[in-house]
Amino acid sequence: MFENFKTFKYTYAGRPLVVETGKMAQLANGSCLVRYGDTAILCCATASAKPREGIDFLPLSVDFEERMYSVGRIPGGYFRREGKPSEKAILTSRVIDRPVRPLFPKDLRNDVALSLTVMSVDQDCSPEITAMIGASIALSISDIPWNGPIGGAFMGLVDGEIVINPTEEQRAKSDLELTVAASKEKVVMIEAGANEVDDDTMFNAIMKAHEEIKDLIEFIDAIVDEIGKPKFEYPSGELDHDMFDKVFAFCEKDLMFALDTDDKTVRDARMLPITDAIVEKFGEEYPDIAVIMPELIYKLQKKVVRRWLIEDHKRVDGRGINDMRALNAEVSLLPRVHGSGMFTRGQTQVLTVATLGTLKDSQELDGIDTELTKRYMHHYNMPGYSVGEAKASRSPGRREIGHGALAERALVPVLPSEQDFPYAIRLVSEVISSNGSTSQASICGSTLALMDAGVPIKAPVAGISCGLITKDDGSFMTMVDIQGVEDFYGDMDFKVAGTHKGITAIQMDLKVDGLTPEIIKEAFAKTHAARDYIIDEVMLKAIAEPREEVSEWAPKMISMTIKPEKIREVIGKGGEVIQKICADTNAKIDIQDDGSIFIAAVNRDDAYAAKARIDAIVFEPVEGAIYTGKVTNIKEFGCFVEYAPGREGMVHISRVTDHRIDKVEDVLAIGDTVNIKYIGLDSKGRMDFSIRDAMPEYADKPVERNERPNKKRFDRKSKEEK
């Protein structure tokens, strides 16, 4: 039935990688089912027959589609079906989009869609890497023009050793989460989260990944040689070269004047008359020039900026190649929030606000991996006014989600543990002005906000970007702290975040076919020096260390641990006990299955009052220990003493004092304060206390458990009386 069905096998990092073609999704331009271990992903590449009218860019979509059946779960929510993509799915789509996009022909305008459907997940075999490999194979064997293939690898650092595609157990203790995509010649994408890993170790991990990927690409090339389709012809979307040269000659001087400023607003204002002049001058000769104007202006500006950088080593705003824009940091800008910090770099300005909550505020996750909750959330917003545009606010897009996740990943390694700081933490970065590197400014602003909120981070984290201009002869030039036009018209945005000690996050956006080892090394060196400067000379001068106390408006959190078997007593029937404690003390209480209890209240005294109530419920006296309490009740056989709030113990009349008494009332009254010693459980399993054995002359002596002192007192008549 499946005449074209073929299977290709490869061993990747010690595990079987199997590619099946010609059986599923045969109407796509290119498709394959990729199995890595027990992970299985259907990868399909499809292109439109012709471009849509008026398209002046490559309309590429990459969708990593999680199916909950792949991990044997039924989706949550009312409809019990997959809804919008999870944050993890969006981030994976972006990770695959970034290395794939630069390898399409620059003049291709046909719609291209990559659909990567996760059908089965083996947690030891990364579905993200499997999908990246599958996307590369589907495009390579299709008739869609593409200059691949690429391969991908996930690298870990376990006990100081670099590990390729680590298992789930290895990932749990790894100090590095590094995803690398590469062609046979160059590295085309890097994304990393790391526990302050040094530059050399990170570089070595990238190079080791590239060596592994080279062998993988030979496997993909063999598949293409056997079943690859010829690439289809397409109408080029390239601008008319003669027209471009005429327009450039006409407005070159005006363009240079317009771009020669560090003020984005001034630059945009200077460009408006140039656009009008071009239409007026060339409208008759080229009737469609107004339609293609956005692309034309982009390429005109790109030519000027790149020429300045390559030939004159001149930056648009007049800075030196390794100079940063003016920097500023402030904290405590907002009065009632738990913490705030604003970081300014040139015309880029990000205000980050920190909010602390109880662990019940942690986010619940519904995805295909094993992480079900997270206590630290970082959200990033970039409204239209930040770039001077009049547009309505919308829900966050993939870019906003990606930038928020990058900042989140950069700060996770320096956060205190849940045990040391039992709070849920949410950061919101508001981009209030944007002219390049807002994601890195959000990292700096977030460090400031955390410190202002009193979060005891291990070390401050700063982020900086490095740009790249490549020449036709293969030479290159890097520059630190790129602004908007250098990002738009340059070849790379290499973002690195970290502490003085090492790297905590990397994200690399590339517009060329890859990076050489020399470029990567230089980018690491420049970004390390820049972030050291930002931390020491800017951030720590705004706030030298985390505040000793959290904000007066933040919940005050204390933690305690009880025996798991005591949880039921604290909660009470139908939750009545814990609800009463919360009502009486104005506290929020979170009890976990292992006996960990987290208590939060705006007033610290309320939190400790709630803790005292729980302590009383779960209190267990230690045998031989002496406690102070009040007599609460007197009976013929003894008395009851409250030795802890709400906890009473019985003292038999024979242990009330060191001599025989007929009635407890002869020596005690209700309300008296006494010392009692816990002497263990009696024969019926009841707790037994003694006042006599707490007296100084008896306190250090062992208690006789099997006989009571003054036992004769129980005889109705003495021998003499008889």
Side-chain angles (χ1 to χ4, degrees):
M1 181 176 180
F2 303 107
E3 296 179 1
N4 298 321
F5 177 60
K6 290 186 179 295
T7 301
F8 304 89
K9 297 181 179 180
Y10 180 73
T11 300
Y12 192 35
R15 277 154 276 173
L17 178 69
V18 180
V19 178
E20 299 175 2
T21 64
K23 186 175 183 179
M24 296 184 182
Q26 296 180 58
L27 295 182
N29 294 64
S31 65
C32 58
L33 182 71
V34 181
R35 304 179 187 273
Y36 188 32
D38 285 340
T39 293
I41 300 185
L42 179 63
C43 306
C44 300
T46 313
S48 62
K50 59 182 181 179
R52 284 177 284 149
E53 196 73 32
I55 294 293
D56 60 355
F57 62 93
L58 171 66
L60 169 67
S61 63
V62 179
D63 293 300
F64 180 81
E65 300 183 26
E66 297 175 326
R67 296 290 186 260
M68 295 301 287
Y69 59 70
S70 67
V71 288
R73 295 183 201 152
I74 295 174
Y78 180 79
F79 294 105
R80 290 293 188 267
R81 69 169 296 162
E82 292 85 1
K84 66 179 184 178
S86 70
E87 186 174 291
K88 182 71 175 290
I90 290 171
L91 297 176
T92 302
S93 297
R94 282 171 55 86
V95 163
I96 296 171
D97 182 297
R98 291 208 305 275
V100 164
R101 187 177 292 271
L103 299 181
F104 284 96
K106 302 300 181 188
D107 57 345
L108 180 66
R109 298 292 179 264
N110 300 55
D111 284 85
V112 179
L114 278 173
S115 298
L116 313 166
T117 307
V118 183
M119 296 185 160
S120 176
V121 173
D122 174 354
Q123 298 295 351
D124 285 340
C125 299
S126 164
E128 294 81 12
I129 292 301
T130 308
M132 184 182 290
I133 294 169
S136 175
I137 294 172
L139 283 169
S140 297
I141 64 177
S142 76
D143 58 350
I144 302 171
W146 188 62
N147 299 318
I150 61 165
F154 185 85
M155 310 300 287
L157 184 65
V158 182
D159 298 327
E161 295 293 323
I162 297 171
V163 180
I164 302 170
N165 293 351
T167 63
E168 182 182 15
E169 182 181 352
Q170 290 172 322
R171 290 197 302 271
K173 55 184 179 181
S174 175
D175 288 322
L176 175 64
E177 294 180 353
L178 169 66
T179 303
V180 178
S183 63
K184 190 174 289 186
E185 294 80 22
K186 297 179 181 178
V187 174
V188 296
M189 196 280 301
I190 302 169
E191 176 134 337
N195 188 16
E196 297 182 279
V197 171
D198 64 86
D199 293 356
D200 289 341
T201 301
M202 184 69 76
F203 177 79
N204 292 337
I206 294 169
M207 292 300 102
K208 187 169 183 177
H210 193 193
E211 289 303 314
E212 190 76 18
I213 289 170
K214 288 177 183 178
D215 294 336
L216 174 64
I217 288 174
E218 289 185 7
F219 166 67
I220 298 174
D221 283 338
I223 298 175
V224 176
D225 289 343
E226 185 169 341
I227 64 170
K229 301 175 184 177
K231 301 302 182 182
F232 64 66
E233 299 290 331
Y234 61 92
S236 174
E238 187 67 33
L239 290 175
D240 183 292
H241 292 287
D242 290 337
M243 177 200 68
F244 179 83
D245 292 341
K246 289 179 184 178
V247 173
F248 186 77
F250 167 71
C251 62
E252 179 179 0
K253 290 183 179 179
D254 292 334
L255 276 172
M256 293 173 67
F257 170 73
L259 292 170
D260 194 9
T261 176
D262 61 353
D263 191 319
K264 182 178 183 294
T265 305
V266 171
R267 185 184 311 120
D268 292 345
R270 289 176 179 177
M271 286 301 303
L272 291 176
I274 297 174
T275 303
D276 294 339
I278 292 172
V279 174
E280 184 178 348
K281 173 72 174 177
F282 297 98
E284 291 186 10
E285 186 177 357
Y286 302 104
D288 294 333
I289 198 165
V291 176
I292 62 171
M293 186 59 67
E295 185 180 6
L296 178 60
I297 291 295
Y298 169 83
K299 293 196 172 182
L300 290 170
Q301 291 181 328
K302 182 175 181 178
K303 182 170 182 177
V304 172
V305 172
R306 291 180 69 90
R307 188 174 66 186
W308 276 347
L309 288 166
I310 292 172
E311 296 178 7
D312 305 331
H313 283 206
K314 168 185 168 62
R315 301 183 72 168
V316 172
D317 53 11
R319 280 182 291 149
I321 294 301
N322 295 320
D323 291 342
M324 284 182 284
R325 290 170 286 176
L327 303 171
N328 185 60
E330 299 177 57
V331 296
S332 301
L333 287 88
L334 305 174
R336 292 271 179 144
V337 303
H338 300 167
S340 59
M342 186 169 72
F343 186 82
T344 304
R345 181 190 285 124
Q347 287 186 310
T348 290
Q349 196 171 51
V350 178
L351 172 64
T352 299
V353 179
T355 306
L356 305 179
T358 68
L359 291 174
K360 284 184 178 179
D361 295 321
S362 298
Q363 183 181 2
E364 295 184 4
L365 304 176
D366 192 16
I368 62 173
D369 56 13
T370 55
E371 186 182 16
L372 301 178
T373 62
K374 65 176 182 179
R375 63 184 276 250
Y376 169 53
M377 300 147 277
H378 193 126
H379 299 140
Y380 168 106
N381 298 315
M382 188 173 172
Y385 65 76
S386 66
V387 290
E389 294 180 0
K391 64 179 183 180
S393 296
R394 296 286 185 265
S395 57
R398 291 192 170 194
R399 181 181 180 277
E400 285 80 7
I401 290 171
H403 281 4
L406 175 61
E408 182 176 297
R409 177 176 255 186
L411 290 160
V412 164
V414 301
L415 292 177
S417 68
E418 187 176 295
Q419 290 69 33
D420 293 336
F421 193 73
Y423 287 88
I425 305 168
R426 181 182 185 234
L427 294 182
V428 179
S429 290
E430 306 285 2
V431 179
I432 51 184
S433 181
S434 172
N435 190 11
S437 296
T438 54
S439 65
Q440 302 310 287
S442 74
I443 292 170
C444 300
S446 299
T447 296
L448 297 170
L450 287 170
M451 295 171 74
D452 186 48
V455 180
I457 60 174
K458 300 171 187 175
V461 179
I464 192 69
S465 60
C466 182
L468 171 74
I469 295 291
T470 55
K471 304 178 186 178
D472 294 337
D473 61 3
S475 60
F476 67 91
M477 181 185 69
T478 60
M479 68 217 80
V480 76
D481 183 23
I482 57 175
Q483 61 167 304
V485 292
E486 293 168 336
D487 184 6
F488 298 150
Y489 308 133
D491 296 325
M492 174 183 79
D493 184 5
F494 199 128
K495 311 178 188 81
V496 184
T499 63
H500 283 315
K501 182 180 177 182
I503 295 169
T504 59
I506 299 175
Q507 188 178 91
M508 184 185 75
D509 294 325
L510 205 59
K511 298 173 186 173
V512 291
D513 61 356
L515 301 183
T516 63
E518 293 75 22
I519 296 174
I520 297 171
K521 270 198 167 182
E522 187 167 307
F524 279 163
K526 287 190 174 182
T527 53
H528 197 149
R531 72 173 187 263
D532 284 350
Y533 176 83
I534 294 169
I535 291 171
D536 291 335
E537 299 300 323
V538 184
M539 295 168 61
L540 292 183
K541 288 186 176 179
I543 181 168
E545 59 186 14
R547 304 203 186 280
E548 293 184 2
E549 296 283 340
V550 297
S551 162
E552 63 175 303
W553 307 108
K556 309 305 181 292
M557 194 84 69
I558 56 177
S559 61
M560 61 186 296
T561 303
I562 64 173
K563 293 181 179 179
E565 56 267 26
K566 292 281 186 179
I567 293 176
R568 181 173 302 197
E569 296 178 34
V570 176
I571 294 175
K573 185 177 180 180
E576 60 182 2
V577 175
I578 194 168
Q579 288 173 12
K580 188 171 190 322
I581 295 173
C582 292
D584 292 346
T585 63
N586 298 313
K588 293 182 179 180
I589 301 173
D590 179 24
I591 303 179
Q592 300 186 351
D593 292 341
D594 64 355
S596 299
I597 298 181
F598 302 99
I599 305 168
V602 174
N603 185 305
R604 192 175 294 277
D605 291 340
D606 288 342
Y608 278 104
K611 181 179 184 299
R613 295 275 289 272
I614 296 172
D615 280 333
I617 294 171
V618 302
F619 179 80
E620 292 183 356
V622 177
E623 188 168 337
I626 295 175
Y627 303 94
T628 299
K630 286 188 177 182
V631 178
T632 58
N633 201 356
I634 294 177
K635 300 290 185 182
E636 180 186 358
F637 51 79
C639 66
F640 290 90
V641 179
E642 186 180 46
Y643 60 87
R647 301 297 298 272
E648 293 182 341
M650 196 200 80
V651 179
H652 193 272
I653 190 172
S654 63
R655 296 189 186 277
V656 168
T657 185
D658 61 349
H659 59 274
R660 181 182 178 278
I661 57 174
D662 290 324
K663 293 190 298 183
V664 176
E665 291 93 331
D666 292 342
V667 293
L668 290 177
I670 292 175
D672 285 352
T673 299
V674 295
N675 292 329
I676 57 174
K677 177 186 280 189
Y678 177 53
I679 57 177
L681 300 176
D682 65 14
S683 59
K684 295 183 179 180
R686 297 172 300 190
M687 290 189 292
D688 214 354
F689 292 85
S690 172
I691 296 175
R692 169 189 176 273
D693 292 292
M695 295 177 178
E697 60 268 32
Y698 295 96
D700 296 330
K701 295 180 180 179
V703 178
E704 298 176 358
R705 293 290 299 123
N706 295 323
E707 64 174 88
R708 298 186 185 277
N710 311 318
K711 187 178 180 182
K712 294 178 180 178
R713 121 97 181 96
F714 291 102
D715 295 335
R716 290 296 180 187
K717 293 181 180 179
S718 66
K719 289 182 179 179
E720 292 77 12
E721 290 174 324
K722 288 180 180 178

